[in-house]
């Protein structure tokens, strides 16, 4: 898809540890942390999916992608603090993009007047041998000031177990009482915008 010399093949190593998984071909077997795609890999993946990316935008696109994934991981670690006694070192086992498979929460917010997320991922975390699925909805937000990108990340355990339901209730209670470890508003990350 792209001239071999046009885009960088340099890949950045993330802060996200690899859990028990069958690694995709683009990850090194001996690696302990996930490695992000290079601008060339990202460009070619976008082309395969039918997008028409501009080569000159790829460095910025990849930088945004990597930053957002790091923020998602920090949100997951916030949730995993609820289980630090049983597992102090959660790891990411796998992830899946599900952009048109809207979560029940996203559909409810849409009924209440919010836009649907532009993307959704499911991340499966290895909590010291136990698999836990997280749902991440990515929303565009109204930009403010000079920020090039504004988005809202809605990261939470999937409601597929009693424990996940209990975690959501505990986090809600802790944050309502001001005792939770909720994140301060991050630069470039805003509340979702209404229609």
């Amino acid at each position: 898809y792209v001239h071999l010399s046009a885009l960088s093949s340099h890949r950045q190593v993330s802060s996200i540890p690899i859990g028990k998984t069958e690694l995709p071909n683009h990850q090194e077997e001996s690696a302990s942390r996930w490695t992000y795609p290079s601008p060339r890999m990202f460009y070619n993946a976008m082309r395969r999916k039918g997008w028409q990316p501009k080569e000159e935008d790829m460095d910025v696109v990849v930088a945004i992608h990597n930053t957002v994934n790091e923020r998602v991981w920090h949100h997951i670690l916030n949730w995993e603090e609820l289980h630090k006694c049983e597992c102090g070192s959660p790891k990411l086992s796998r992830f899946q993009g599900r952009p048109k498979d809207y979560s029940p929460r996203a559909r409810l917010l849409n009924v209440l007047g919010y836009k649907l997320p532009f993307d959704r991922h499911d991340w499966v975390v290895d909590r010291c041998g136990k698999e836990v699925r997280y749902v991440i909805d990515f929303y565009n937000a109204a930009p403010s000031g000079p920020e090039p990108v504004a988005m809202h990340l809605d990261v939470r355990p999937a409601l597929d177990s009693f424990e996940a339901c209990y975690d959501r209730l505990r986090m809600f209670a802790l944050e309502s009482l001001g005792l939770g470890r909720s994140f301060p508003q991050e630069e470039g990350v805003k509340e979702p915008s209404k229609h």
Side-chain angles (χ1 to χ4, degrees):
Y1 285 117
V2 66
H3 299 99
L4 291 179
S5 62
L7 288 171
S8 171
S9 61
H10 173 74
R11 300 178 67 191
Q12 179 182 353
V13 177
S14 78
S15 71
I16 305 169
I18 298 174
K20 294 179 183 175
T21 189
E22 290 184 28
L23 285 174
N25 292 335
H26 57 82
Q27 297 291 323
E28 291 195 28
E29 288 288 330
S30 61
S32 62
R33 301 198 178 278
W34 289 92
T35 303
Y36 291 122
S38 69
R40 183 184 304 168
M41 292 170 73
F42 208 98
Y43 177 89
N44 287 331
M46 290 180 76
R47 292 288 305 255
R48 280 193 304 274
K49 293 176 182 178
W51 295 89
Q52 297 299 318
K54 295 179 182 174
E55 291 181 33
E56 61 270 18
D57 294 341
M58 285 298 100
D59 286 341
V60 172
V61 169
V62 169
I64 291 168
H65 168 270
N66 298 356
T67 299
V68 168
N69 280 319
E70 293 294 325
R71 288 181 179 173
V72 167
W73 184 244
H74 287 289
H75 282 280
I76 288 173
L77 291 177
N78 187 39
W79 284 98
E80 287 296 308
E81 280 286 311
L82 297 172
H83 299 277
K84 67 182 175 185
C85 291
E86 64 191 84
C87 182
S89 58
K91 300 174 181 175
L92 178 62
S93 290
R94 62 186 179 278
F95 50 89
Q96 179 183 12
R98 301 173 65 182
K100 299 300 178 197
D101 188 9
Y102 301 116
S103 67
R105 183 158 155 168
R107 287 193 296 266
L108 175 63
L109 287 172
N110 187 244
V111 168
L112 296 175
Y114 291 92
K115 292 181 180 179
L116 287 167
F118 68 85
D119 200 1
R120 170 193 169 171
H121 286 184
D122 284 10
W123 287 23
V124 177
V125 170
D126 174 4
R127 185 185 292 154
C128 296
K130 179 178 185 176
E131 286 196 345
V132 181
R133 185 170 62 97
Y134 282 85
V135 175
I136 303 99
D137 287 324
F138 300 84
Y139 292 91
N140 284 319
S144 62
E147 297 167 349
V149 176
M151 68 176 62
H152 170 73
L153 305 173
D154 187 2
V155 181
R156 70 262 183 216
L159 290 178
D160 51 12
S161 71
F162 174 77
E163 184 176 52
C165 296
Y166 182 59
D167 283 353
R168 285 216 204 168
L169 287 172
R170 283 198 301 167
M171 187 65 81
F172 175 77
L174 289 169
E175 289 177 352
S176 296
L177 296 171
L179 303 173
R181 294 185 52 171
S182 60
F183 286 102
Q185 193 68 31
E186 297 174 274
E187 183 178 325
V189 180
K190 306 289 182 195
E191 294 302 311
S193 59
K194 289 199 172 194
H195 291 286

